[in-house]
């Protein structure tokens, strides 16, 4: 079978690997149909000193496919079922897993495509426990954005920030995969969305996507513009994933009692904060990493209702590297998807 392997930093090869054996008890065998790219793929491709892994490594952290065989004892799926796959190898037995908080698993064995072999291969065996059924009518390309992208936004906005209809939310980086999804999810429940982008073309696309206000952060201080738009009240929620460059401006953009939820630090991992501002204005700052499997199912339900991802571009498996390069340069508006 074809598989895409990382053999050294920034070096990918399309390898011919043995097909997997028949699925073991409790496992399903999945024919991968599409996978979506994320910054974790870029980081792994560049090389991360803290990542404990061995090369060659099959890449790909977010994917969907069709069940082609089932192992003994599998009751949830039959051949022909369409599934999204959870890429964190959770134990399923610890206190957090049993509470449905899979992304806080106490015995996680790694993230597929980053620490251990991932989804960029034609066929793989995986525990049925780590598979989520895809509702009818959702394309492979759209569904490929559910396991990481939709679930991350679902977990950030609704599990953590508790976004409510009618609130105002500031979404950073409108052109990013999670930024585009956050705009659509917030608008679906009737929120006012203010967003940022780095050029006029992306600003126009964000408005067409449904954002109520778009700020070009290259020409305007976004925190000043947010204060103007909200008549100095500030926003209820900030959807933060940029990091150091936007952190303090994000705090200044919130109303008293506002909530900031963050899942990323692409512009830097360290910031200085005004602690007096934090407690006097009673901000709530929430870290969000990954998502529980339930959030994937919830995201797929939104897709079934018509809240679809924005697809920037599609590539074949052998052009995976071109997709990574496009994502790395931030030319994207939406998701980069790899087809099989």
């Amino acid at each position: 079978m074809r598989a895409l392997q990382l053999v050294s930093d920034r070096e990918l090869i399309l390898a011919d690997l043995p097909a997997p054996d028949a699925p073991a008890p409790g496992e399903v065998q999945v024919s991968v149909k599409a996978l979506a790219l994320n910054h974790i793929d870029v980081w792994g491709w560049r090389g991360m000193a803290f990542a404990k892994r061995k090369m060659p490594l099959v890449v790909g952290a977010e994917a969907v496919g069709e069940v082609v065989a089932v192992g003994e004892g599998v009751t949830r799926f039959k051949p022909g079922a369409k599934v999204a796959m959870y890429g964190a190898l959770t134990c399923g037995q610890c206190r957090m897993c049993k509470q449905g908080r899979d992304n806080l698993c106490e015995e996680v064995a790694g993230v597929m495509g980053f620490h251990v072999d991932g989804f960029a291969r034609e066929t793989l065996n995986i525990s049925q426990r780590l598979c989520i059924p895809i509702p009818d009518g959702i394309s492979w390309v759209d569904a490929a954005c559910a396991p990481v992208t939709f679930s991350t936004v679902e977990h950030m906005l609704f599990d953590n920030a508790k976004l409510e209809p009618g609130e105002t939310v500031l979404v950073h980086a409108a052109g990013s995969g999670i930024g585009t999804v956050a705009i659509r999810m917030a608008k679906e429940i009737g929120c006012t969305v203010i967003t940022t982008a780095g050029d006029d073309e992306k600003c126009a696309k964000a408005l067409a996507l449904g954002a109520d206000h778009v700020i070009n952060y290259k020409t305007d201080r976004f925190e000043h513009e947010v204060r103007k738009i909200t008549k100095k009240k500030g926003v209820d929620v900030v959807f933060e994933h940029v990091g150091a460059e936007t952190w303090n401006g994000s705090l200044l953009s919130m109303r008293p009692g506002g909530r900031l939820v963050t899942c990323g630090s692409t512009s830097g991992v360290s910031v200085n904060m005004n602690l007096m501002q934090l407690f006097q204005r009673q901000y709530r700052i929430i870290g969000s990493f990954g998502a529980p499997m339930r959030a994937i199912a919830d995201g797929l339900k939104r897709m079934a209702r018509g809240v679809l991802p924005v697809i920037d571009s599609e590539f074949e498996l052998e052009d995976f590297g071109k997709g990574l390069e496009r994502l790395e340069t931030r030319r994207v508006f939406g998701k980069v998807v790899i087809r099989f």
Side-chain angles (χ1 to χ4, degrees):
M1 67 171 182
R2 293 184 306 154
L4 198 66
Q5 292 182 314
L6 183 70
V7 294
S8 63
D9 292 351
R10 292 182 180 269
E11 185 179 356
L12 293 163
I13 63 168
L14 191 59
D16 185 14
L17 300 183
D21 295 331
E27 288 185 339
V28 295
Q29 189 168 99
V30 178
S31 172
V32 178
K33 298 300 184 182
L35 59 88
L37 298 187
N38 297 276
H39 278 289
I40 193 172
D41 297 296
V42 175
W43 297 331
W45 172 61
R46 287 174 181 166
M48 300 292 282
F50 65 83
K52 295 181 179 180
R53 59 189 181 174
K54 293 181 180 179
M55 294 186 187
L57 176 80
V58 177
V59 295
E62 181 176 30
V64 291
E66 180 181 346
V67 174
V68 293
V70 300
E72 182 182 350
V74 171
T75 57
R76 295 183 60 217
F77 301 104
K78 295 180 180 179
K82 296 174 64 175
V83 295
M85 293 171 283
Y86 194 60
L89 297 179
T90 57
C91 71
Q93 299 298 319
C94 70
R95 177 172 57 96
M96 290 301 181
C97 283
K98 288 182 177 180
Q99 291 177 1
R101 304 173 72 187
D102 319 82
N103 54 323
L104 290 172
C105 174
E106 297 166 359
E107 299 292 339
V108 64
V111 174
M112 295 178 67
F114 191 74
H115 303 106
V116 297
D117 282 342
F119 295 112
R121 43 184 156 161
E122 290 182 313
T123 312
L124 76 155
N125 294 342
I126 189 170
S127 170
Q128 67 167 337
R129 180 178 60 83
L130 299 177
C131 294
I132 299 93
I134 298 172
D136 292 339
I138 300 175
S139 73
W140 288 121
V141 168
D142 287 340
C145 303
V148 174
T149 310
F150 263 61
S151 69
T152 295
V153 178
E154 186 81 31
H155 190 51
M156 288 178 71
L157 287 182
F158 303 111
D159 295 346
N160 287 320
K162 308 294 184 186
L163 184 67
E164 297 180 358
E167 290 191 311
T168 300
V169 56
L170 170 62
V171 175
H172 281 298
S176 66
I178 61 172
T180 53
V181 172
I183 291 169
R184 283 192 159 167
M185 283 193 184
K187 289 307 299 179
E188 185 202 20
I189 68 166
C191 292
T192 297
V193 175
I194 304 171
T195 192
T196 63
D199 60 57
D200 290 341
E201 181 181 359
K202 287 185 177 180
C203 287
K205 288 181 177 180
L207 284 172
L209 190 59
D212 298 282
H213 308 275
V214 184
I215 302 163
N216 186 331
Y217 64 81
K218 294 286 183 66
T219 58
D220 295 294
R221 292 280 295 273
F222 74 84
E223 62 269 36
H224 292 174
E225 296 304 309
V226 168
R227 302 297 292 181
K228 291 178 185 175
I229 292 166
T230 62
K231 297 180 170 56
K232 298 184 180 180
K233 292 180 180 178
V235 300
D236 299 286
V237 170
V238 176
F239 183 89
E240 170 65 70
H241 56 110
V242 177
E245 288 181 2
T246 54
W247 186 262
N248 284 307
S250 291
L251 295 178
L252 289 169
S253 299
M254 285 196 290
R255 66 165 179 81
R259 295 99 72 196
L260 181 151
V261 60
T262 179
C263 76
S265 56
T266 54
S267 68
V269 299
S270 299
V271 294
N272 290 317
M273 278 182 56
N274 184 328
L275 293 179
M276 187 174 290
Q277 176 195 28
L278 173 64
F279 63 73
Q280 283 188 339
R281 294 182 67 81
Q282 301 182 63
Y283 292 150
R284 281 172 278 174
I285 298 175
I286 309 149
S288 187
F289 184 73
M293 281 188 280
R294 185 227 2 108
I296 300 176
D298 290 347
L300 285 165
K301 290 176 184 176
R302 289 188 195 275
M303 284 192 193
R305 295 200 299 266
V307 182
L308 298 178
V310 176
I311 305 301
D312 171 86
S313 50
E314 299 178 33
F315 293 93
E316 300 298 327
L317 181 62
E318 55 267 29
D319 292 324
F320 191 100
K322 292 180 181 179
L324 289 174
E325 290 170 0
R326 182 166 178 80
L327 189 58
E328 184 182 36
T329 59
R330 299 189 182 183
R331 297 196 305 267
V332 299
F333 191 90
K335 292 291 292 182
V336 177
V337 177
I338 307 297
R339 299 188 304 259
F340 280 71

